[in-house]
Amino acid sequence: MTRVFSGIKPTGNVHLGNVLGALQHWVEDQHRADSLYCVVDLHALTVPQDPDELRSTTLRLAQILLAMGLDPEVCTLFVQSHVHQHAELAWIMECTASYGELSRMTQFKDKSDKAGFVSGGLFTYPALMAADILLYDTDLVPVGDDQRQHVELARDVAERFNSRYGDTFVVPTATFPAAGARVMDLQDPTSKMSKSEDTAAGTILLLDDPKVIEKKIKRAVTDTDSEVRFDVAAKPGVSNLLSILGAATGRTPEQAAEGYTQYGPLKADTAAAVIERLSPIQARFAELAADPAETHRLLAVGAAKAGELAAATLTRARANLGLLAAT
Ligand code: AMP
Ligand code: TRP
């Protein structure tokens, strides 16, 4: 069976872009493949974190994933730092990736230009990501376009390791969600919806109150004429609403556009569809949040399952590398 692995960082709040662009695909994929989904808390450490905040964001993100429908009986859901092999294999990956390769990562260049404190981990982050993927003999890695280069690096280091030390790792392939799953900022529809603080009015959070969702969509920037049609270049605002309406109701944006002649009804229906999509998730989240012990229990089950697979791969890698066995 095809093995799928993906990860999400526990930083900031989950927003509609994460849900429609990534997480809803995870929920669908879990039934089609042998899937592992990971809350990558070690990745969050590349920038300084407040300890209490990191702890609560990690737990909350796991609860959101469960509330969205990831079923621990079907897939393996766990927290990265609960499986210590991630950090161990990451060191081996750091020694397999070249300085030049890591220097070419565009995300490092962007982030290090903006950051006040540039940690060593921010630079070696793609080696940790390669370890995440390679530990599980992963075939497919569903990610956003921004992660393309990192998955490419994971392929390159897997191939290099295999040719130096013998067949050890499965060489993974990145997959990308269908076009149109890119949700744009409601106030600035030419940039991606994101979790940064300064775009609050343009970002719908998964846990936003229905009234807040309605307000944000009603105030969404539209385009100068009043025609409803899907045309991202000429009509970015309306096209974004159509993408959202389509993705929330399982249709293409073009299908979603049918029957609308004015912006008002389009906005009202988009708000209603988003609320209908998010409300059951919010209700389930509230139940899970009221019982953190149950989430901890489910995460322990996930970590035990993942740990077994990871241990087998790390043992193979250690042996092939020539690290002396401890017993
Ligand atoms: P991030 O929030 O950047 O950590 O991304 C987590 C996941 O959500 C990744 O798979 C991203 O590609 C996806 N994602 C983030 N923002 C958007 C967006 N605006 N539209 C669609 N997918 C997104
Ligand atoms: N780097 C990814 C991001 O920022 C998250 C991630 C970490 C990941 N490890 C992974 C994604 C392994 C896929 C596979 O979105």
Side-chain angles (χ1 to χ4, degrees):
M1 201 172 182
T2 306
R3 172 71 53 76
V4 169
F5 182 98
S6 197
I8 181 166
K9 256 187 300 187
T11 50
N13 290 308
V14 173
H15 57 75
L16 189 66
N18 300 133
V19 171
L20 300 180
L23 305 181
Q24 81 175 16
H25 300 288
W26 292 12
V27 175
E28 291 159 13
D29 281 350
Q30 68 180 334
H31 299 287
R32 288 199 284 266
D34 178 3
S35 319
L36 292 108
Y37 295 113
C38 186
V39 177
V40 290
D41 56 347
L42 297 175
H43 281 270
L45 302 180
T46 53
V47 295
Q49 298 288 340
D50 174 75
D52 287 332
E53 174 97 13
L54 177 63
R55 209 173 354 255
S56 61
T57 307
T58 303
L59 183 67
R60 191 169 66 228
L61 181 54
Q63 288 164 336
I64 285 175
L65 296 174
L66 290 165
M68 283 208 52
L70 285 186
D71 180 349
E73 306 256 320
V74 176
C75 68
T76 302
L77 173 66
F78 68 106
V79 173
Q80 186 184 30
S81 69
H82 293 178
V83 178
H84 63 80
Q85 285 87 353
H86 286 256
E88 268 178 82
L89 187 63
W91 173 252
I92 295 173
M93 292 298 115
E94 283 177 46
C95 297
T96 310
S98 74
Y99 179 79
E101 268 169 338
L102 292 170
S103 307
R104 283 193 291 277
M105 295 293 119
T106 55
Q107 197 174 73
F108 172 73
K109 291 184 209 164
D110 292 349
K111 289 198 173 172
S112 59
D113 281 348
K114 284 179 207 144
F117 173 79
V118 181
S119 69
L122 192 65
F123 183 66
T124 57
Y125 165 115
L128 176 59
M129 180 160 159
D132 300 341
I133 297 166
L134 301 183
L135 268 178
Y136 299 101
D137 295 332
T138 303
D139 300 300
L140 301 178
V141 187
V143 281
D145 203 51
D146 58 330
Q147 299 298 316
R148 190 183 287 268
Q149 210 187 13
H150 293 157
V151 180
E152 204 52 48
L153 183 89
R155 289 174 63 87
D156 292 343
V157 291
E159 281 169 354
R160 184 172 311 135
F161 192 102
N162 288 347
S163 75
R164 278 189 189 161
Y165 305 109
D167 215 17
T168 310
F169 298 118
V170 172
V171 179
T173 304
T175 63
F176 306 94
R182 197 150 177 256
V183 180
M184 310 307 280
D185 188 287
L186 296 174
Q187 291 300 318
D188 173 13
T190 55
S191 52
K192 236 173 72 158
M193 185 176 285
S194 75
K195 45 196 164 194
S196 90
E197 298 284 327
D198 41 281
T199 59
T203 302
I204 294 175
L205 301 180
L206 172 58
L207 298 176
D208 269 347
D209 193 76
K211 287 208 172 59
V212 173
I213 295 175
E214 202 173 341
K215 197 155 91 189
K216 286 179 179 174
I217 293 181
K218 289 231 161 99
R219 292 189 184 163
V221 167
T222 44
D223 309 299
T224 44
D225 63 51
S226 61
E227 202 189 338
V228 177
R229 81 188 137 84
F230 186 67
D231 179 345
V232 175
K235 301 180 66 71
V238 168
S239 299
N240 189 35
L241 292 175
L242 290 169
S243 296
I244 293 172
L245 178 59
T249 54
R251 292 176 296 167
T252 65
E254 288 85 357
Q255 288 168 336
E258 279 166 29
Y260 290 105
T261 52
Q262 288 176 306
Y263 294 161
L266 171 65
K267 285 183 167 179
D269 288 359
T270 303
V274 170
I275 291 166
E276 198 178 313
R277 182 77 185 80
L278 299 186
S279 293
I281 303 174
Q282 294 180 349
R284 179 83 188 104
F285 172 81
E287 285 169 25
L288 288 155
D291 183 8
E294 174 62 4
T295 306
H296 280 285
R297 188 187 70 77
L298 295 172
L299 290 175
V301 170
K305 280 203 278 178
E308 245 176 70
L309 298 170
T313 311
L314 188 67
T315 300
R316 200 163 70 225
R318 287 182 54 108
N320 291 355
L321 262 177
L323 293 173
L324 183 66
T327 50

